[in-house]
Amino acid sequence: MRIDLHAHSNVSDGTQPPAELLAAAAQARLDVLALTDHDSTDGWAEALDAARQQGVGLLPGMEISCKTSQGVSVHLLCYLHDPFNADLLEEITKAKDARLTRAECMVERLAEDYPLNWDDVSAHVAPGATIGRPHIADALVAAGIVADRNEAFASILTSHSRYFVSHYAVDPVLAVELVRAAGGVPVFAHPVASERGRVAPPEVFHDMVDAGLLGLEVEHRDNPPEGRAWLRRLAQETGLFMTGSSDYHGAGKPNLLGENLTSREVLERILAVGTGTPAYLP
Ligand code: AMP
Ligand code: FE
Ligand code: FE
Ligand code: ZN
């Protein structure tokens, strides 16, 4: 079975609407795709309709923006949680709102040096979508300032850049607890992706495991080989399962659907624990 458990639509920073994403999943001969937009489940309904049409399995999911007390950014994937759970909704709403204020602030700073305004950025954001730096990157591309999102992230938009602003995000240990309380299955996304910035220290992993973390996204292009070996040992020690996924963002990143896959056994573990919403399996 070809199972890819991490993909974005234009409900966050992917470039395709959910229905197109599911069509692309069918093209990539996937049996099961998880839709994991940043801090939003708004794409679930459209994705489910499209999954039925395409005959592709769908695991409704989300990628929660988190930040440790030391300021390290952590992404937590979750699957099959109850999308109406009030405590979890409150946190993702706070993150979404903070992302908007933060994007406005970054655009203000950028506007001092580049011919760029808020309208240029919002032109790249689908209505109601979770906004992020990739949308600012799209505006920089459209203005001819950089060639693609990757070049924007390598220069103007890095976390070391003078234009960078951080935003509120829930503590990852609390996020794990909230996901479990909402009947969801929490999985640490690209946990050792050092290229993106600082990586969480081992204590954070252990605290997340104690809080109910269930899986580690080991096979992800941003995890370097030594990091993956460490993750495999940690999974062995703690009994966590391991996933592999693409983190597909449409045309926004080179990541291709199905470039990493998750085993059927792991999918079954997720289905057994996730009780907040049903999966669709044709
Ligand atoms: P933000 O959450 O707004 O801080 O932006 C981070 C998001 O940008 C992540 O979700 C990534 O998917 C995306 N991203 C990070 N690096 C790159 C890159 N080099 N090219 C394209 N997208 C990227
Ligand atoms: Fe993203
Ligand atoms: Fe992520
Ligand atoms: Zn992602």
Side-chain angles (χ1 to χ4, degrees), residues 17-42:
E20 257 179 56
L21 172 62
L22 268 292
Q27 275 283 312
R29 295 177 297 105
L30 291 181
D31 298 294
V32 179
L33 178 76
L35 174 66
T36 55
D37 277 308
H38 297 284
D39 307 310
S40 179
T41 61
D42 290 355

Side-chain angles (χ1 to χ4, degrees), residues 6 8 38 63 75 77 189-190 196 217 220 247 249 253:
H6 187 165
H8 297 264
H38 297 284
E63 185 174 17
H75 285 179
L77 289 164
H190 44 74
R196 291 171 179 242
E217 189 183 49
H220 181 293
D247 203 356
H249 280 69
K253 273 187 169 183

